[in-house]
Amino acid sequence: MAVSDAAWGVTGALVAGLVVAGFLVWAIRLGIKVRRREQDPSRTSPQPPRPDRGGGPDMSAHERREPDEVPRAADESERLTPHQLHPGGSRRSEDQSRPRWESGSGGSFGSGGSGAS
């Protein structure tokens, strides 16, 4: 009797697996049918060209920034409100020249040396 119960359990699991697999196949086929009946996405016009920002290959803008000082309150007991603060933590620098490394100063990971040992 124990063997027959185990056989019924295995048979039941097999039948349940086949039912689930059949349901999944039916759902996928139904999805494909519905997708074929839908209209293709309209393509009215191509996208406009990207503006020239003078950046690198990823079209990013390159500029030097410098810290923007937080304005001081007139009285120490006075609190500044958000509209009195500047919108960002930095501003565009007057000097836009690219910084260059000087010989003997700075290096990889701030070592300051030539890297030779």
Side-chain angles (χ1 to χ4, degrees):
M1 187 155 183
V3 176
S4 65
D5 286 344
W8 279 111
V10 170
T11 305
L14 181 64
V15 169
L18 289 174
V19 168
V20 169
F23 175 75
L24 291 174
V25 169
W26 173 82
I28 290 172
R29 292 186 67 172
L30 178 66
I32 291 171
K33 267 191 210 178
V34 169
R35 186 82 187 249
R36 284 185 181 159
R37 279 188 273 158
E38 292 177 352
Q39 291 181 346
D40 289 335
S42 64
R43 304 210 182 243
T44 56
S45 65
Q47 295 291 323
R50 296 179 78 173
D52 182 27
R53 294 185 181 172
D58 61 347
M59 300 298 288
S60 60
H62 300 282
E63 66 179 8
R64 291 193 58 193
R65 308 283 296 172
E66 60 186 23
D68 198 6
E69 297 296 324
V70 176
R72 299 279 180 204
D75 184 15
E76 287 190 23
S77 63
E78 179 186 358
R79 293 179 61 185
L80 294 174
T81 58
H83 71 273
Q84 292 171 315
L85 299 174
H86 300 142
S90 65
R91 65 176 182 266
R92 191 170 195 272
S93 176
E94 298 282 331
D95 179 23
Q96 288 296 311
S97 63
R98 186 173 169 193
R100 299 290 180 191
W101 291 108
E102 295 177 13
S103 178
S105 70
S108 177
F109 303 103
S111 64
S114 64
S117 50

